[in-house]
Amino acid sequence: MNSLVPETSLKRIVIIGGGFGGIELAKRLSKKLYQVVLLDKNNYHTFQPLLYQVATGGLEPDSIAYPIRKIFSGYQNFIFRMAEVYSVRSKGCLLETDLGEIKYDYLVLATGSTTNFFSNIAFENNSMPLKSVPDALNLRSLLLQNFEKLLTEKNVVEREKHFHIVVVGGGPTGVEIAGALAELKKHVLPIDYPELKIEELNIHLVESSGKLLAAMSDNSSKTAQHFLKKMGVQLHLNTAVTSYINETAILNPAGEIKCSTFIWTAGVKGQLINGFKDDAVTKSSRLKVDSYNRITGYDSIFAIGDLAAMKNADKEAYPMLAPVAIQQAKNLARNLNLQDNRKWNVFNYKDLGSMATIGRNKAVADFHHLQFRGMFAWLIWMFVHLMSIVGFRNRIVVLVNWMWNYFSYDRAIRLIIRPYKKNTNV
Amino acid sequence: MNSLVPETSLKRIVIIGGGFGGIELAKRLSKKLYQVVLLDKNNYHTFQPLLYQVATGGLEPDSIAYPIRKIFSGYQNFIFRMAEVYSVRSKGCLLETDLGEIKYDYLVLATGSTTNFFSNIAFENNSMPLKSVPDALNLRSLLLQNFEKLLTEKNVVEREKHFHIVVVGGGPTGVEIAGALAELKKHVLPIDYPELKIEELNIHLVESSGKLLAAMSDNSSKTAQHFLKKMGVQLHLNTAVTSYINETAILNPAGEIKCSTFIWTAGVKGQLINGFKDDAVTKSSRLKVDSYNRITGYDSIFAIGDLAAMKNADKEAYPMLAPVAIQQAKNLARNLNLQDNRKWNVFNYKDLGSMATIGRNKAVADFHHLQFRGMFAWLIWMFVHLMSIVGFRNRIVVLVNWMWNYFSYDRAIRLIIRPYKKNTNV
């Protein structure tokens, strides 16, 4: 048993998840002290902040994904396995995976978050999420397929549906995809589809609270709202979506929108793995951790990043952002490398600010008391994202595409490589 | 009826297929004389000569595909429809498509060729073809999945299968993919999989005749053979594959190879559309055409490119190559633009030579009596292919990747975006 990973005399740390946190941790852990085993169900790291640009034809999927083996080439005492983890058996320090059982001495869960449909089967089956590369490619295909269909669709009701795109959720993903769709509508679609009245295409952004980008400053939120309106996005604030059946989104308090594209960015939850006691798990499927990222009630199991529900001294939860994951990974690596847990540091979040881009020359950025908007914020946004992408080749390809998109007003990657088939259940 | 395409007072030419021939023809036909309608089941043009580089992680799929609408943006009297054509009803000048019926005055078939499995169900269900972007992505996924599996596979027979890759067919595609696999084996796989004895990986190239690259000069064929041997590819000349069942390729006259990856490049046939008289169709599903590309027995239906079986004055068939398709498209456009068929020119093929690349600094090129090999041929090959790729953005991205691959010895795009599931029938 357990020969899925070579045995050594060192203690083994297993990390589940090759996102921002898992990669940072695996890099920093001492391979002299530990055998480090990284598991992920994909063989690549996904740069999630740019998925919306893949979905709207601005970037190749392959330029925001990076082979995990390549990140760690040449590392000693490092093992990667492409595996899906089903559950943790903490009694025996065992993981159950699709490859078989894997033993650990320390376990770190860095599985991140997944789309939260709040148990609504209609949303789960019929909406388009945007959390993975295949999600982004499916959305790209569906958007283009719908315009192709419109050219020959005679049925008035069906035509109407294709002229409405609904984005649910006014967080960064919702704002960014709505903005990118508005730019497609303005610059690309009228050229591709001169036969259609593209000006009649409606992009709706529905947000249940009264504020877009709730985690940002009021100024930035207002600016984002102003930018989106200027770009022609129809905002529905203080509005919830209660159902999406028969290609009709039902709004609360009132109204409905018939739409063939329904994009769901209104919630995330922890990508939980089975086997934890109920009192370690929050309502949104995250794992409660102490200030060392240790899961409540477990000595040698940790969680970092989006999955970890950690509160600061003021009992406020940290945001589910890449910088939190990366900083927690750094702190945990330092602690584990020290071994002696009496020397451990508690996690201390340095807020680097937050940003969102709405469109060409249109972004908002909050850095403590400094707020930027417009072109300067947009340039900062691009620089920060470009530098965060893993891999020199990927950076060059992204930069080439951004320059191309900027000067040509084009989104050249409008390909339907694998047509998307809608789930026809419900 | 027939409102799938707007009606005009002009005669309508329908072109089926957005490959090299169809695109060239659609560009050159006079839109003052004709309404030009282009149909393709994809919304993009595929640059097929580089599919093998997508399959082996050297290029992004999106850099060798190009949106057809973008090629024709701003064209008047040009209509594109993403449609699959089921059959031609020449009596009523009608096409039956998945969108409905489309009328034509002139019809040009430019559907190209498809993989020929010679009615062998085992090949069709279990082999990996390489004629489309999804084919290339499936092969990329399968190759990588097999190495991931090998890391934890204990069964000796299963392990053995993953250590053999069989490529059937010694034409350009077979030679190029075998060479690219040999380079992956040499430069990339040992770094990604230090746990495996990658040197034990066997790449087999099986060719039923005694010669690789049968269409090229003896010199070039010999050189290609020499290059492949030097790169460690196992050549099986004068050997046919009669079956591939239970992951075992049966060779004729003798032998078998257990292999989990079985790549089929040993035959192509015309991508025929139903509705033609038997005597217009060749054994390999191509359409017999006269020297004006008019299909035998039909006045207003033409075929160009791989689908068209045309013979020259010496009764020799033209090769199934992009330059033939493009030149036939040019000649046909000229003829149709003249209208009066008494002024029509017969097709006259200018042989521009042929090339194949085997690996880094290793290519062969035949230009009439001039033959090149090695680095010079390789540079010509790259230049010609780069210039033939549609779109400036695609050219830059391909160039960036080639430079990256050359200087780093890397193939960075080794991603399993959509895992490939083997067909389990048969």
Side-chain angles (χ1 to χ4, degrees):
Chain A
M1 202 214 65
N2 203 28
S3 48
L4 294 177
V5 176
E7 297 289 342
T8 66
S9 57
L10 299 171
K11 292 216 167 187
R12 178 184 294 166
I13 301 183
V14 176
I15 304 166
I16 312 177
F20 291 110
I23 295 285
E24 189 71 30
L25 181 67
K27 276 187 185 168
R28 287 176 178 260
L29 284 172
S30 164
K31 282 85 183 174
K32 287 185 181 142
L33 295 173
Y34 302 108
Q35 182 193 45
V36 177
V37 177
L38 178 62
L39 309 177
D40 197 292
K41 60 176 191 278
N42 294 316
N43 78 333
Y44 56 89
H45 165 80
T46 304
F47 191 72
Q48 291 189 350
L50 294 177
L51 284 171
Y52 79 96
Q53 296 201 6
V54 172
T56 49
L59 286 179
E60 282 103 345
D62 298 359
S63 63
I64 66 158
Y66 198 82
I68 291 175
R69 296 198 173 278
K70 195 164 152 54
I71 299 175
F72 295 97
S73 63
Y75 277 58
Q76 297 296 309
N77 284 325
F78 171 85
I79 300 286
F80 172 72
R81 290 285 178 268
M82 198 172 105
E84 194 165 342
V85 180
Y86 299 139
S87 67
V88 179
R89 275 197 278 144
S90 57
K91 285 267 165 63
C93 289
L94 270 180
L95 292 177
E96 285 174 11
T97 79
D98 58 349
L99 299 177
E101 291 179 345
I102 296 174
K103 233 176 135 36
Y104 63 83
D105 295 299
Y106 295 102
L107 176 63
V108 184
L109 283 88
T111 48
S113 55
T114 183
T115 306
N116 192 350
F117 298 105
F118 303 101
S119 308
N120 184 320
I121 299 289
F123 292 160
E124 192 159 348
N125 283 341
N126 304 323
S127 75
M128 306 299 291
L130 195 53
K131 285 290 283 181
S132 70
V133 174
D135 283 352
L137 290 173
N138 285 342
L139 180 53
R140 184 177 85 178
S141 288
L142 179 66
L143 287 166
L144 296 168
Q145 282 165 235
N146 283 342
F147 291 112
E148 295 295 334
K149 271 190 203 155
L150 247 182
L151 292 164
T152 54
E153 179 63 66
K154 304 291 172 227
N155 182 301
V156 181
V157 178
E158 291 300 315
R159 290 187 67 81
E160 178 70 9
K161 285 178 186 172
H162 291 323
F163 271 114
H164 292 273
I165 298 174
V166 170
V167 180
V168 190
T173 306
V175 165
E176 291 181 329
I177 190 84
L181 289 169
E183 295 202 323
L184 266 188
K185 176 187 167 184
K186 186 170 179 195
H187 300 301
V188 178
L189 297 175
I191 299 170
D192 265 12
Y193 300 98
E195 298 173 65
L196 299 176
K197 291 182 179 164
I198 290 292
E199 67 275 14
E200 293 179 4
L201 176 66
N202 295 279
I203 299 154
H204 304 269
L205 181 59
V206 186
E207 162 60 38
S208 59
S209 80
K211 190 185 170 192
L212 297 180
L213 303 174
M216 295 188 72
S217 65
D218 284 345
N219 255 344
S220 291
S221 170
K222 287 261 161 56
T223 306
Q225 201 174 319
H226 167 74
F227 282 152
L228 284 172
K229 272 193 185 161
K230 214 170 124 183
M231 292 163 74
V233 173
Q234 296 185 33
L235 296 177
H236 305 257
L237 295 177
N238 297 307
T239 306
V241 181
T242 56
S243 160
Y244 176 64
I245 296 183
N246 295 327
E247 303 194 302
T248 306
I250 309 295
L251 308 182
N252 180 10
E256 62 171 49
I257 306 171
K258 291 186 189 300
C259 57
S260 48
T261 308
F262 181 82
I263 302 168
W264 182 260
T265 73
V268 289
K269 60 179 180 180
Q271 179 108 285
L272 189 62
I273 284 168
N274 289 329
F276 289 95
K277 296 171 208 155
D278 286 348
D279 57 3
V281 182
T282 71
K283 274 184 291 179
S284 57
S285 302
R286 297 168 75 194
L287 288 165
K288 294 176 195 163
V289 296
D290 65 16
S291 54
Y292 303 101
N293 282 96
R294 214 162 22 192
I295 297 172
T296 308
Y298 298 84
D299 272 347
S300 50
I301 311 185
F302 303 80
I304 59 174
D306 284 6
L307 180 66
M310 189 195 281
K311 285 179 177 163
N312 66 14
D314 301 327
K315 299 279 177 199
E316 288 164 345
Y318 291 113
M320 291 161 89
L321 290 174
V324 176
I326 291 167
Q327 291 178 35
Q328 287 181 341
K330 286 180 182 169
N331 188 61
L332 182 58
R334 181 194 165 280
N335 288 346
L336 289 171
N337 288 344
L338 283 173
Q339 294 179 292
D340 181 356
N341 63 17
R342 287 164 305 182
K343 298 181 192 160
W344 284 16
N345 279 355
V346 301
F347 176 66
N348 208 338
Y349 179 51
K350 279 177 211 70
D351 184 356
L352 301 172
S354 57
M355 293 180 279
T357 203
I358 298 98
R360 186 186 185 79
N361 299 335
K362 292 186 186 70
V364 290
D366 289 352
F367 303 108
H368 301 285
H369 300 295
L370 282 177
Q371 289 152 14
F372 302 102
R373 59 174 130 177
M375 189 166 184
F376 185 66
W378 185 70
L379 288 170
I380 300 174
W381 181 93
M382 284 205 294
F383 179 77
V384 169
H385 282 75
L386 202 58
M387 288 302 109
S388 309
I389 292 171
V390 178
F392 185 67
R393 191 202 69 93
N394 284 8
R395 277 181 210 159
I396 297 176
V397 172
V398 169
L399 184 63
V400 165
N401 278 300
W402 281 353
M403 287 173 61
W404 176 263
N405 295 346
Y406 189 76
F407 291 109
S408 68
Y409 289 81
D410 194 14
R411 299 290 179 272
I413 313 167
R414 39 192 193 275
L415 309 168
I416 307 172
I417 298 283
R418 309 227 198 211
Y420 177 71
K421 286 186 191 70
K422 275 210 172 192
N423 193 329
T424 45
N425 310 335
V426 178
Chain B
M1 201 216 66
N2 202 28
S3 48
L4 294 178
V5 175
E7 296 290 340
T8 66
S9 58
L10 298 171
K11 292 218 164 184
R12 177 185 294 165
I13 300 182
V14 176
I15 304 167
I16 312 176
F20 290 110
I23 296 285
E24 189 72 32
L25 181 67
K27 277 187 186 169
R28 287 174 179 260
L29 284 172
S30 164
K31 282 84 180 174
K32 287 187 182 142
L33 295 172
Y34 301 107
Q35 182 193 45
V36 177
V37 177
L38 177 63
L39 308 177
D40 197 294
K41 61 176 191 277
N42 295 315
N43 79 332
Y44 56 87
H45 164 80
T46 304
F47 191 71
Q48 292 190 349
L50 294 177
L51 284 171
Y52 79 96
Q53 297 201 6
V54 172
T56 51
L59 286 179
E60 282 104 343
D62 298 359
S63 62
I64 66 157
Y66 198 82
I68 291 175
R69 294 196 175 279
K70 196 165 151 53
I71 300 175
F72 295 98
S73 63
Y75 278 57
Q76 298 297 309
N77 284 326
F78 171 87
I79 301 286
F80 172 71
R81 290 287 178 266
M82 200 172 103
E84 196 166 341
V85 180
Y86 300 139
S87 66
V88 179
R89 276 198 276 146
S90 56
K91 285 267 164 64
C93 290
L94 270 180
L95 291 177
E96 286 175 9
T97 80
D98 58 349
L99 299 177
E101 291 180 345
I102 297 175
K103 234 175 134 40
Y104 63 82
D105 294 299
Y106 295 100
L107 176 64
V108 183
L109 283 87
T111 50
S113 55
T114 183
T115 306
N116 192 351
F117 298 105
F118 303 101
S119 310
N120 185 320
I121 300 289
F123 292 160
E124 192 159 350
N125 283 342
N126 305 321
S127 75
M128 307 298 290
L130 195 54
K131 286 289 284 180
S132 70
V133 173
D135 283 351
L137 289 172
N138 285 342
L139 180 53
R140 184 176 86 178
S141 288
L142 180 65
L143 287 165
L144 296 168
Q145 282 166 233
N146 283 342
F147 291 113
E148 295 295 334
K149 272 190 202 155
L150 246 182
L151 292 163
T152 54
E153 179 62 66
K154 303 291 173 230
N155 184 300
V156 180
V157 178
E158 292 300 316
R159 289 188 68 80
E160 178 69 11
K161 283 178 187 171
H162 291 323
F163 272 113
H164 292 273
I165 298 173
V166 170
V167 180
V168 190
T173 306
V175 164
E176 291 181 329
I177 189 85
L181 289 169
E183 294 202 322
L184 267 188
K185 176 187 167 183
K186 186 169 178 194
H187 301 301
V188 178
L189 298 175
I191 299 171
D192 265 12
Y193 301 98
E195 299 174 63
L196 299 177
K197 292 183 179 162
I198 290 292
E199 67 275 15
E200 292 179 5
L201 176 67
N202 296 279
I203 297 153
H204 303 269
L205 181 59
V206 186
E207 163 59 38
S208 60
S209 80
K211 191 184 169 191
L212 297 179
L213 304 174
M216 295 188 71
S217 65
D218 284 344
N219 255 344
S220 292
S221 170
K222 287 261 160 57
T223 306
Q225 201 173 319
H226 167 75
F227 282 150
L228 285 172
K229 272 193 182 159
K230 213 169 125 183
M231 292 163 75
V233 173
Q234 296 186 32
L235 296 177
H236 305 257
L237 296 178
N238 297 307
T239 305
V241 182
T242 56
S243 159
Y244 176 64
I245 297 183
N246 295 326
E247 303 195 300
T248 306
I250 310 294
L251 308 182
N252 180 10
E256 60 172 50
I257 306 171
K258 290 186 190 300
C259 57
S260 49
T261 310
F262 181 82
I263 302 167
W264 183 259
T265 72
V268 287
K269 62 178 180 181
Q271 179 108 285
L272 190 62
I273 284 169
N274 289 328
F276 290 94
K277 295 172 210 156
D278 288 348
D279 58 2
V281 182
T282 72
K283 274 183 291 178
S284 58
S285 302
R286 297 167 77 196
L287 287 165
K288 294 176 197 164
V289 296
D290 65 16
S291 52
Y292 302 102
N293 282 96
R294 212 160 26 189
I295 297 172
T296 309
Y298 298 84
D299 272 345
S300 50
I301 311 185
F302 303 80
I304 59 173
D306 284 6
L307 180 66
M310 189 196 281
K311 287 180 177 162
N312 66 13
D314 301 328
K315 300 280 178 196
E316 288 163 344
Y318 290 113
M320 290 161 90
L321 292 173
V324 175
I326 292 167
Q327 291 178 33
Q328 287 181 342
K330 286 180 184 171
N331 188 60
L332 182 57
R334 181 194 165 280
N335 287 346
L336 289 171
N337 288 344
L338 282 174
Q339 294 180 290
D340 180 356
N341 64 15
R342 286 165 304 182
K343 296 182 192 159
W344 284 17
N345 278 356
V346 300
F347 176 66
N348 208 337
Y349 178 51
K350 279 178 211 67
D351 184 357
L352 301 173
S354 57
M355 292 180 282
T357 202
I358 298 97
R360 189 185 181 78
N361 300 334
K362 292 184 185 72
V364 289
D366 290 350
F367 303 108
H368 300 286
H369 300 296
L370 283 176
Q371 290 152 14
F372 302 102
R373 58 174 131 178
M375 187 166 185
F376 185 67
W378 185 70
L379 289 170
I380 300 174
W381 181 94
M382 285 206 294
F383 179 78
V384 168
H385 282 77
L386 203 58
M387 289 300 110
S388 309
I389 293 171
V390 178
F392 185 66
R393 192 202 69 94
N394 284 7
R395 277 182 211 160
I396 296 176
V397 172
V398 168
L399 184 63
V400 165
N401 278 301
W402 281 354
M403 288 174 61
W404 176 263
N405 295 346
Y406 188 76
F407 290 109
S408 68
Y409 288 82
D410 194 16
R411 301 289 178 274
I413 314 166
R414 38 192 194 274
L415 310 168
I416 307 173
I417 298 283
R418 311 229 195 209
Y420 177 71
K421 287 190 190 70
K422 274 211 172 191
N423 193 329
T424 44
N425 309 337
V426 177

